[in-house]
Amino acid sequence: MSNRSINIVRVTKDDYDKVCAIIPPDEIYSGTDYLPDYFHMLLDMPNVEAYAAVVDGKFEFRSYITSVDQLKSILNTTGNMTPTSAKPIDESELANILTNQQVCCHLFPEGRVIVDWVPYRLIKSNASLIKTIRTTVIGSNLKNDTRILTFANYFNALAGLICNIEVYGRVGETLAEHIYLHLRELISKVITGKVIIRCFFQQETNSNFITSLMNRFGFDITEIWGTRLVCIETTPEIYFRESKL
């Protein structure tokens, strides 16, 4: 029988260095671990409690790509793109969408929405949990059968700035407006290293179309950790920009 002392403790913001030191960030998800950047935001969320196993006094376990200048240049080149239907969605609008049965039947036929790897039920109170300070929601044509809703969340990791984009609805040319608005939001952030876009979409979506669309914005497809995520129930395409900074 082991004589090791094992205790489960509530994690606080003061434990940041201890928790992040459990496993070096460069050894997790090929350098795309979100926790170092998400840590404080997660602990500020009302629905999050974090715990860690302390073994013999040491934290052991936790539970819960192109140059940036080129990216800005491409967005400036497409600066004359004026979204005609796509627009940002605020928390109140998102709450209304989640409770609109007609819209949800089209956008979320599985009866739930997955945002930033977290599944949510289609209830009004989840809007405030989905729409964090890192979340951009873009909607278009929400009153007809060509409706699209996209979510984007970003975080900084050793590999660079990671952005997860989930696409719901009928994918077509309007999606270019969504990607444009999400990327405009990204370039306002401090970026070092690569810019990696992980795009998640429903299985029936034409992945070649999305790849072609990302190519227009200067992104190339790449093989990197995250090509299969069970909880998403689909296979995301990974796009990146290599930084010259």
Side-chain angles (χ1 to χ4, degrees):
M1 180 179 295
S2 172
N3 292 322
R4 303 181 74 185
S5 171
I6 302 177
N7 296 297
I8 304 298
V9 301
R10 179 80 176 267
V11 171
T12 69
K13 292 182 179 180
D14 293 336
D15 297 318
Y16 176 85
D17 291 332
K18 295 177 183 177
V19 172
C20 291
I22 293 174
I23 302 177
D26 60 344
E27 296 180 13
I28 304 177
Y29 310 149
S30 300
T32 63
D33 183 21
Y34 63 84
L35 187 60
D37 197 35
Y38 268 19
F39 184 87
H40 292 89
M41 182 188 74
L42 289 173
L43 292 189
D44 282 336
M45 296 178 68
N47 63 320
V48 172
E49 291 184 0
Y51 295 86
V54 180
V55 180
D56 293 336
K58 181 181 178 182
F59 279 59
E60 293 284 355
F61 180 77
R62 67 188 184 213
S63 178
Y64 342 10
I65 288 197
T66 200
S67 71
V68 177
D69 287 342
Q70 185 177 349
L71 175 57
K72 292 180 179 179
S73 175
I74 290 174
L75 290 180
N76 287 335
T77 300
T78 58
N80 57 353
M81 175 186 289
T82 302
T84 57
S85 60
K87 70 180 188 69
I89 301 295
D90 62 23
E91 182 182 318
S92 176
E93 292 173 302
L94 179 59
N96 291 333
I97 291 172
L98 294 178
T99 54
N100 186 317
Q101 186 175 2
Q102 181 179 359
V103 173
C104 286
C105 285
H106 177 82
L107 293 177
F108 317 118
E110 298 86 359
R112 55 93 182 101
V113 57
I114 297 176
V115 179
D116 208 21
W117 306 343
V118 179
Y120 296 92
R121 292 181 179 179
L122 305 177
I123 56 179
K124 188 173 184 177
S125 59
N126 276 339
S128 62
L129 302 180
I130 295 171
K131 190 78 168 60
T132 74
I133 59 174
R134 297 290 185 91
T135 309
T136 302
V137 185
I138 305 296
S140 59
N141 303 327
L142 295 176
K143 295 183 179 180
N144 60 52
D145 291 337
T146 60
R147 56 180 67 92
I148 303 175
L149 195 68
T150 57
F151 302 85
N153 286 271
Y154 72 92
F155 59 92
N156 285 291
L158 286 180
L161 187 141
I162 318 296
C163 180
N164 295 325
I165 298 179
E166 291 89 11
V167 180
Y168 292 95
R170 181 172 295 179
V171 172
E173 216 28 67
T174 306
L175 184 59
E177 298 181 13
H178 286 241
I179 299 300
Y180 173 78
L181 291 174
H182 286 308
L183 294 180
R184 291 294 302 183
E185 178 68 18
L186 276 187
I187 64 171
S188 67
K189 314 303 177 188
V190 177
I191 303 174
T192 59
K194 299 174 183 176
V195 178
I196 301 172
I197 306 294
R198 296 193 286 216
C199 190
F200 301 87
F201 42 83
Q202 294 160 317
Q203 292 182 348
E204 63 271 19
T205 300
N206 183 345
S207 60
N208 291 331
F209 174 80
I210 293 185
T211 297
S212 174
L213 180 59
M214 296 305 296
N215 289 159
R216 281 193 243 166
F217 288 98
F219 286 85
D220 297 315
I221 195 166
T222 184
E223 293 295 329
I224 193 171
W225 178 91
T227 54
R228 289 194 180 274
L229 293 174
V230 175
C231 69
I232 300 300
E233 302 173 5
T234 186
T235 302
E237 299 290 356
I238 316 298
Y239 307 91
F240 79 103
R241 286 179 162 273
E242 191 79 43
S243 176
K244 304 295 184 181
L245 300 180

